[in-house]
Amino acid sequence: MNPLLTVFIIGVLGYLLGSIKVKGLSLGTSGVLIVALLFGHYGMEIPSVIREFGLICFVTAVGFIAGPVFFRNFKSKALSYVVLGILIIAAGAASCVAVITLAGIPTPLAVGMMTGALTSTPGLAAAIDATGDSMASIGYGIAYPFGVIGFVQLVPKLMRVDVPGEVEKLNRAMAANVHQDTSGERHIQLDDFGFFPFMIATIAGMMIAKIVIPLPAGASFTLGTSGGPLLAGLVMGHFMHVGPVSITVPKPTLEVLREFGLVLFLMGAGTNAGKGFVEILMQYGAALFFLGAVMTLLPMVIGYILATKLFSMDILNSLGAICGGMTSTPALGTLLAVTKTEAVAASYAATYPVALIFVVLSAQFISIFLM
């Protein structure tokens, strides 16, 4: 089937599935992932360039949206975000080690499941590189669906949270931290839709993504296509202009690019992960889904307790920080859909960088020492 035709068919079916509500819960955009997994199982594939393009659009838009509040927000709660990022990944790594040693799951499969449970594409890349085994991508596909849904939708309902009220409080708090352009000058807008600054950010982000940072024990680290464009978007979203030239992007443009990018990314990740996972399930049993769910829930529960009890964060900032601590791009998409406010992206962006480093390290070290 023509790949472009496949993209649109998956999109139509995914949005139809995502619109179905059961007791107030729905898959939303994540319905696209479920349909993509099914298509991948039957051998239909979407070129990786489409997945990468979607990921870059999504994270760059998130960076621009969070940029005006990110730096002030991070400065006021830096320690909280760093600790959350480290401990959430540590919990995921500990659960992965337990699955390998207690359940007897092969290391490549278990490490792939960990990265799928955390919905971490950079972690998966590190796992494949360290293990040299395609089984890692199958583990990723098995744990990924529950990792996407997680408990971002469940917590507000279980805790009977007044989401509109919490959103209003969060927006008021964030408004006090928004960086405003106080120069009083009118800046040159090179295009009405903001595509020029957006493309500049993606170029800068892709260049940043290629910078290799050496780490202990011979390991190395890059921000990759999920971290580089996010950083570029944050910086440009914060500064708003360079000399007389505006580098802001209108909010409607960012919202469209964010959703469009997320959908393309989920399609690519789903069709790629769908290949071969039925055979693995038949070999190791449906318990793999349960183990993958544990790998998702344990870090989330620990992160939620730390964020709300130890660091006294409000529930929406806590959920945003948990999504960032899991480096979970799709979970952030779900949270944005549930809350209908971009303010939650600031805590995601604050926790994400340190978590990204540790998820890559965890995948590498587990593969080295338990292979």
Side-chain angles (χ1 to χ4, degrees):
M1 186 183 293
N2 184 300
L4 292 178
L5 180 60
T6 304
V7 163
F8 291 111
I9 292 174
I10 292 175
V12 168
L13 296 177
Y15 273 107
L16 283 173
L17 178 62
S19 66
I20 299 171
K21 288 191 175 183
V22 179
K23 295 186 177 181
L25 297 176
S26 65
L27 288 171
T29 309
S30 298
V32 173
L33 173 70
I34 306 302
V35 173
L37 282 168
L38 184 62
F39 272 59
H41 169 64
Y42 287 104
M44 299 179 198
E45 200 168 345
I46 290 175
S48 60
V49 66
I50 293 179
R51 182 186 69 223
E52 294 297 303
F53 176 74
L55 179 60
I56 289 168
C57 285
F58 178 83
V59 295
T60 305
V62 167
F64 269 102
I65 289 168
V69 300
F70 169 75
F71 291 100
R72 291 189 181 185
N73 191 42
F74 182 80
K75 185 178 180 180
S76 64
K77 299 176 181 176
L79 179 61
S80 304
Y81 293 128
V82 169
V83 171
L84 278 173
I86 293 172
L87 293 183
I88 287 173
I89 297 302
S95 65
C96 178
V97 171
V99 164
I100 294 170
T101 56
L102 300 179
I105 302 299
T107 298
L109 181 60
V111 175
M113 288 172 62
M114 179 189 75
T115 60
L118 300 174
T119 66
S120 175
T121 306
L124 174 62
I128 293 172
D129 183 57
T131 63
D133 196 324
S134 61
M135 193 182 289
S137 63
I138 297 173
Y140 178 85
I142 288 170
Y144 194 98
F146 192 85
V148 169
I149 301 167
F151 72 3
V152 167
Q153 290 192 79
L154 295 177
V155 167
K157 292 190 175 296
L158 292 175
M159 303 294 292
R160 300 184 182 277
V161 174
D162 175 17
V163 173
E166 290 293 328
V167 167
E168 186 178 344
K169 287 194 292 185
L170 178 60
N171 286 338
R172 283 201 303 267
M174 287 298 179
N177 286 329
V178 172
H179 171 69
Q180 302 286 352
D181 181 2
T182 57
S183 65
E185 301 174 7
R186 292 181 62 86
H187 299 110
I188 301 169
Q189 189 83 29
L190 295 181
D191 74 290
D192 293 337
F193 295 101
F195 287 140
F196 174 79
F198 192 88
M199 291 179 181
I200 291 292
T202 59
I203 292 169
M206 292 171 73
M207 294 174 67
I208 293 169
K210 294 184 179 296
I211 298 173
V212 178
I213 303 168
L215 294 170
S220 62
F221 164 76
T222 64
L223 284 174
T225 50
S226 53
L230 175 67
L231 179 59
L234 284 170
V235 172
M236 290 181 65
H238 173 75
F239 286 104
M240 299 183 176
H241 67 93
V242 176
V245 179
S246 171
I247 54 173
T248 59
V249 181
K251 184 178 176 182
T253 299
L254 291 174
E255 290 175 340
V256 170
L257 287 170
R258 184 189 69 201
E259 179 70 8
F260 182 64
L262 179 61
V263 167
L264 292 182
F265 171 69
L266 291 177
M267 288 178 184
T271 55
N272 184 61
K275 295 176 290 186
F277 77 95
V278 171
E279 290 79 4
I280 291 293
L281 280 176
M282 290 177 66
Q283 182 177 353
Y284 292 99
L288 289 178
F289 282 117
F290 171 75
L291 295 173
V294 170
M295 288 184 180
T296 295
L297 289 174
L298 182 63
M300 281 188 157
V301 170
I302 289 175
Y304 181 76
I305 292 171
L306 287 172
T308 56
K309 304 302 181 184
L310 183 60
F311 299 123
S312 302
M313 291 185 185
D314 63 83
I315 189 166
L316 298 187
N317 262 324
S318 297
L319 292 175
I322 290 167
C323 292
M326 295 179 66
T327 69
S328 179
T329 301
L332 174 64
T334 301
L335 183 60
L336 289 166
V338 169
T339 61
K340 295 179 173 58
T341 177
E342 290 81 11
V344 293
S347 55
Y348 167 89
T351 316
Y352 181 93
V354 65
L356 181 64
I357 294 171
F358 276 88
V359 74
V360 170
L361 285 174
S362 296
Q364 290 176 336
F365 289 156
I366 293 172
S367 300
I368 291 170
F369 292 111
L370 294 180
M371 279 287 283

